[in-house]
Each structure stands twice: as structure tokens, then as C-alpha cells.
Amino acid sequence: MGRNSSMAEVKEKIARKVASFFKPGDVVNLGIGIPTMVGNYIEDGVWLHTENGLIGYGPAPEKGKENEYLTGAGAQFLTAYPGAAAFDSATSFAIVRGGHLTATVLGALEVDEKGNLANWSRPGVIVGMGGAMDLVNGAREVIIAMEHTAKGGKHKILERCSLPLTGAGVVTKIVTDLCVIEVAKEGLVLKEIEEGVTLEEIREKTGARLIVPQHLEKR
Amino acid sequence: MNKLVGRSEIMKLFHDNMTIMCGGFANRGSAAKLIDMAVESGVQGMYIISNDSGDPDLTVGRFIRSGQAKKITASHVGMNPELGESVLAGKMELELSPQGTLAERIRCGGAGLGGVLVTTGMGTIIEEGKQKVEVNGQTYLLETPLTAEIALVKAHKADVMGNLVYKGTQRNFNPLVAMAAKTVIVEADEIVPAGALDMDEIHTPGVFVSMIWNGEE
């Protein structure tokens, strides 16, 4: 990723990378922000689940074609593909908890080397976890899609999360504008480095120990 | 048995310090007119159980703005900053329950179950004070059932017996709250005669439903 990429391009690149992990038949739940953008780049046949009770939604409708019976978890209007199914909230989370969801893609405030995730609560703000805690415990893969650091370069990938956790030991993969990291038993394993990014830069912007396979050491 | 009732009969049911459960998700599929009646009844000290706290001026949010709610159990309250202010000011109590856990707690209440075992929230603040149960080597949190005196349900179609069909994503928590209250009141887009709904396509059997608002103000 070029150093001069705009913020929108950076986010799009992260979304495209995450989308490339999915294949037809997968069922995926997307959180808000960069995760929502993943929906723009998934292959045909990857099905999207929204926790308020639908599998098989498509992009936002054209103006004037909004349907009040077809909305997402943020109350936004959706479209549905042929074969879509609607269900109640208990069924929706049976899909999630029962292991029927291939992956959930979420943003993070903090993520650490144990795969702990903090993304629902910051001091002084009362929001609630919604479905995030169920999603991170139930989905077969929990993929974090985010910019590598917070505003001002503050680390988001840490040895230990400091904010209240959404889930303990739940994250499987972290995709940022700099790299792809897998959360393994032994720690955070660097899997891919974005073009034009150096290992040194990644290390500097990561607040945890990174395990770097030999073939990536030269970068 | 015809379960259609008018507004005045519904208004008689509200009283101070009662527990009200509401279907709906981010204002979608909320029984907005029934919620208006509960607010207009002026009763105080309500305990609200709902997925979320709505917008400040819509659906469940109206209970908070009017100061009639003393407690809410919900999974998400971020759309309604007034709720956060009330809680921080000590005017209201908030119990956060993860969304899937909340759905099952309500289902348990309606189905006569003593609770549900989940891994959701393990290792987070949600596990504080909760009993842990080990089953086949896996540790779960015991989450307890929820019931209410009144449930306010939004359906797409209701027959006069109370058999209900929901539409699209407006189903959400409605079939669950429709099982979990002593008195279940329905607001429907359309009311049809008995027999007009295909018995195989009914989402909520009328046995759970106490009354259907006839639409008259």
C-alpha cells in the first residue's frame, strides 16, 4: 500500500483483503465500519448474516425502494438475494453459537497476543455489547479488520488489553493496512506484509511480540 | 375466541412498578402504538426488557425520556444517549445482557426453563456474580430466565384467535417476548379472520396471545 494512499483507499484495501478469505458457501457476519465494506468485495455465493434475523442480504436499495421489513442491525435498509431467509433472534444466535457461522469480521479498540478482544466499551460511555460477545464466542473464525494503530499512532495490538473484554482468547486473525497476523497458541504470527511496508515499521507500530517466519524476515 | 380489544381495555392493564417486555430491534418491528399507550398511561417505575433502548423519541426510548422507566435490561443502548445520561445520573438502573443471551433468557422464561448455559461473556465482566456450571468438561455461565407482566408484540398479520405471522427482519425478538409474559398484547399491520392464515405458516400460535389491539384509537 503506497504511503500516500487516502484513508478511504486504506480502508478499501483492508476490506478487499478480508473478503479474499471467503469462498462460496461461507456464511459471514460483518460488524460496522471497515467490516461493513467487506460486503462490497465478497465473491458471489458468500452469504451474509445479520444478527437481527436474516441470511442472504445484499447492498443498500436504490432510493425510493427502501423496505421497512428488510433492515440491518443498525436499522439501515437492505436488499435480499433470492434464497434469503428471515428468522427470530433466538434462531439468529443459534446460528452464531451453534457453529454455523463461518466467520465474523469486527473492528477493535484493542486486541492482544492471547487473542483477547476489546471493542465494546470505553470509559465514560454507555453503549452495550449488542451481539458482539455472542459473535466472538460462536463464529468459527473471528477476524479483526482495522487500521494498525489508533489516532496519534497509539498501539492497538498489545501484550494485554486494558479495556473491558468482548471475548477472551477468541480472535483468530488480524488484518490491517500493514499486514495480516494470525493468532496462534504461541502468539501473534506475521503471515503477510503489505507491499511497500517494512518489518521494522510493523514492529514499531505493534505493542506486542511478533513471531516472524523466516521467509518474511528479509523484508 | 375473538381476542380483539380497543384502546380503553389495554389502558386498564398498565400500573406502577410493572415489568414490560418489548419486541423490536432498533425501532424496527416495535409495537410503536402500544408503547405510546403505555407511555400515555402515565404509570411510573417501569422495568423494561428489550433488545435496545430505541431512539430518544421513538419506541422504547419514550419510556426513558418520560422518566417512567426505573430499570432496563437490554443488549445495546448506544442509539439513545439519554439512557446513558439517566444511568450515569443514578436515575435508572441498566442491566446489559449480550444479545443472544438475552434472546435465550426470554425464550427460557416463556418455555418454563430454569435457565440457559452459555459460553458468551466468559472472561468478561458479564461473568461477574454468575454461577458457573461444568458439562462434559466445558465451563458455562448460567443465565437466568426473564418474564414480564405484559409483552408488547408487533406482528405483520394476526388472525382474531391471536395466531401471528411476522414479516422479514421485523420478526426479531417478537416471537420470544410473545411467549414470556402473563398478558401478551399484539399490534398488527393486518387483522384477518380465523382460518385465513395457513396453519403451517404461523410463527406464533395464538395460545401465547392474550389480546390484539383492534386499531381504534
Side-chain angles (χ1 to χ4, degrees):
Chain A
M1 196 169 307
R3 297 292 79 192
N4 300 319
S5 307
S6 72
M7 192 65 87
E9 284 168 345
V10 167
K11 290 180 176 175
E12 183 192 311
K13 194 103 181 224
I14 298 169
R16 277 185 194 278
K17 171 58 77 178
V18 174
S20 75
F21 299 146
F22 303 130
K23 56 183 192 310
D26 287 350
V27 183
V28 180
N29 184 294
L30 303 175
I32 52 166
I34 297 172
T36 302
M37 296 168 64
V38 172
N40 300 335
Y41 308 110
I42 49 169
E43 258 186 86
D44 278 355
V46 176
W47 285 76
L48 296 179
H49 167 271
T50 178
E51 63 267 29
N52 57 318
L54 186 75
I55 284 180
Y57 73 86
E62 292 168 41
K63 219 172 166 351
K65 293 202 171 157
E66 296 89 354
N67 174 351
E68 62 174 312
Y69 301 99
L70 202 46
T71 54
Q76 78 280 21
F77 291 107
L78 300 174
T79 52
Y81 290 113
F87 33 78
D88 66 70
S89 296
T91 306
S92 185
F93 285 94
I95 290 165
V96 172
R97 273 191 248 90
H100 312 283
L101 197 65
T102 313
T104 182
V105 184
L106 295 162
L109 296 168
E110 296 175 343
V111 52
D112 73 25
E113 60 188 26
K114 297 282 180 209
N116 296 324
L117 169 67
N119 76 348
W120 75 279
S121 175
R122 31 178 131 216
V125 190
I126 298 179
V127 174
M129 69 292 289
M133 285 190 178
D134 307 276
L135 282 160
V136 299
N137 272 275
R140 299 205 295 273
E141 266 222 77
V142 176
I143 301 170
I144 301 306
M146 64 175 193
E147 289 165 74
H148 203 91
T149 54
K151 273 193 192 123
K154 203 167 170 246
H155 289 161
K156 297 178 79 173
I157 304 172
L158 306 168
E159 282 179 0
R160 279 288 172 283
C161 292
S162 63
L163 292 168
L165 295 186
T166 311
V170 292
V171 176
T172 55
K173 222 176 246 164
I174 305 163
V175 180
T176 76
D177 45 328
L178 305 183
C179 61
V180 177
I181 294 169
E182 209 168 85
V183 184
K185 267 213 180 78
E186 59 273 25
L188 300 177
V189 182
L190 192 62
K191 299 302 277 189
E192 287 177 49
I193 301 178
E194 275 299 329
E195 211 166 304
V197 175
T198 64
L199 188 52
E200 196 186 5
E201 181 183 0
I202 295 173
R203 284 211 160 106
E204 197 178 292
K205 292 183 172 173
T206 305
R209 191 176 67 91
L210 273 180
I211 300 165
V212 183
Q214 240 171 12
H215 72 279
L216 290 177
E217 277 286 8
K218 296 178 208 98
R219 296 288 289 273
Chain B
M1 190 189 160
N2 185 323
K3 294 180 181 173
L4 295 187
V5 298
R7 176 190 162 98
S8 58
E9 263 177 274
I10 295 169
M11 292 299 278
K12 279 185 226 155
L13 297 168
F14 300 113
H15 62 81
D16 287 351
N17 304 313
M18 77 186 311
T19 304
I20 299 186
M21 236 179 225
C22 300
F25 192 117
N27 308 313
R28 308 286 189 189
S30 292
K33 292 281 179 59
L34 296 179
I35 290 174
D36 286 349
M37 289 181 208
V39 170
E40 284 154 24
S41 76
V43 302
Q44 300 296 317
M46 286 191 267
Y47 170 28
I48 306 296
I49 300 169
S50 166
N51 172 60
D52 57 81
S53 53
D55 280 350
D57 55 347
L58 285 174
T59 70
V60 178
R62 296 200 63 204
F63 291 123
I64 290 122
R65 177 167 282 183
S66 69
Q68 288 166 285
K70 66 162 188 221
K71 181 181 175 183
I72 184 167
T73 293
S75 78
H76 198 273
V77 294
M79 287 162 59
N80 188 344
E82 290 180 15
L83 185 277
E85 287 161 23
S86 294
V87 172
L88 290 172
K91 289 184 205 153
M92 255 189 88
E93 189 188 334
L94 167 67
E95 182 200 15
L96 284 171
S97 195
Q99 199 168 100
T101 296
L102 180 63
E104 283 301 322
R105 292 176 70 194
I106 295 170
R107 205 185 69 80
C108 280
L113 302 174
V116 59
L117 301 176
V118 298
T119 58
T120 300
M122 294 282 290
T124 76
I125 59 168
I126 286 301
E127 74 170 48
E128 283 169 19
K130 285 183 185 140
Q131 194 181 328
K132 289 181 185 151
V133 179
E134 202 179 298
V135 182
N136 298 329
Q138 167 77 54
T139 307
Y140 295 89
L141 296 181
L142 172 64
E143 293 278 7
T144 51
L146 290 169
T147 54
E149 286 173 81
I150 284 185
L152 305 180
V153 171
K154 169 74 198 301
H156 181 51
K157 287 183 185 174
D159 73 15
V160 296
M161 309 280 291
N163 293 308
L164 307 180
V165 172
Y166 308 95
K167 190 168 160 95
T169 47
Q170 291 202 4
R171 193 178 329 180
N172 56 62
F173 277 78
N174 280 301
L176 307 170
V177 305
M179 296 192 292
K182 229 179 282 168
T183 303
V184 174
I185 314 172
V186 174
E187 173 181 337
D189 293 331
E190 192 184 342
I191 298 169
V192 299
L197 298 174
D198 180 341
M199 71 166 92
D200 289 320
E201 290 183 354
I202 288 165
H203 295 133
T204 293
V207 67
F208 292 113
V209 171
S210 316
M211 54 187 75
I212 305 144
W213 176 44
N214 63 13
E216 283 159 26
E217 299 287 341

